[in-house]
Amino acid sequence: MRRRDLIAATIAVPTLVAGSRARAGDKPAPGGASVGIAGVGLPIISGGRIRNYVFVSLRLHLGGTATPESMRPKEAYLRDALVRAGHRTPFVVEDDWTRIDTAALSASLMRSAASIVGRGAVTRIEVISQAPRRRTGVAAR
């Protein structure tokens, strides 16, 4: 995979996914405060090879005393934790290389968020969108 394609996709996908909004979390959720994380590229690894990348946009629902303003500086740390976890134990759906296992992603990020921003600061993680880089070749062998 060429590095420039990955960089270009990292720039283009959040723009396409977010549409006219500058960030995924700018619009507050009806049940409380939330913060958006847009355009995180996660690998799909099967058989020891990278098969695809899926770019995800997330919404973190906040609880306790956490506010969107207090969470914005921690967004880079949450992104880093998510990418590291995605490479360590990929969030792979066995029969489909175009999407990720949202339950595994949410559980992993909840564990990381508890250590980064404190227990109870993030109550729920919602996967807003998944955009695969390659849409073909999804049959696992």
Side-chain angles (χ1 to χ4, degrees), residues 80-104:
D80 182 59
L82 185 59
V83 170
R84 287 178 187 261
H87 279 72
R88 187 173 44 249
T89 54
F91 309 118
V92 177
V93 175
E94 289 301 322
D95 59 343
D96 193 355
W97 294 345
T98 61
R99 58 190 176 98
I100 59 167
D101 184 4
T102 57

Side-chain angles (χ1 to χ4, degrees), residues 99-122:
R99 58 190 176 98
I100 59 167
D101 184 4
T102 57
L105 179 135
S106 296
S108 174
L109 192 55
M110 284 294 288
R111 285 190 301 272
S112 298
S115 64
I116 294 171
V117 295
R119 190 169 298 279
V122 177

Side-chain angles (χ1 to χ4, degrees), residues 1-18 22 37-43 52-57 75 79 83 87 131-134:
M1 180 172 177
R2 295 186 317 201
R3 186 175 295 158
R4 86 180 106 190
D5 290 341
L6 181 60
I7 292 170
T10 303
I11 294 168
V13 169
T15 305
L16 295 173
V17 171
I37 298 178
V40 179
L42 299 173
N52 200 1
Y53 279 91
V54 176
F55 296 89
V56 296
S57 294
E75 181 181 343
R79 250 179 215 279
V83 170
H87 279 72
R133 180 176 184 273
R134 182 177 300 153

Side-chain angles (χ1 to χ4, degrees), residues 33 60-64 110 120-125:
L60 285 79
H61 295 271
L62 306 178
M110 284 294 288
V122 177
T123 58
R124 183 170 62 98
I125 296 169

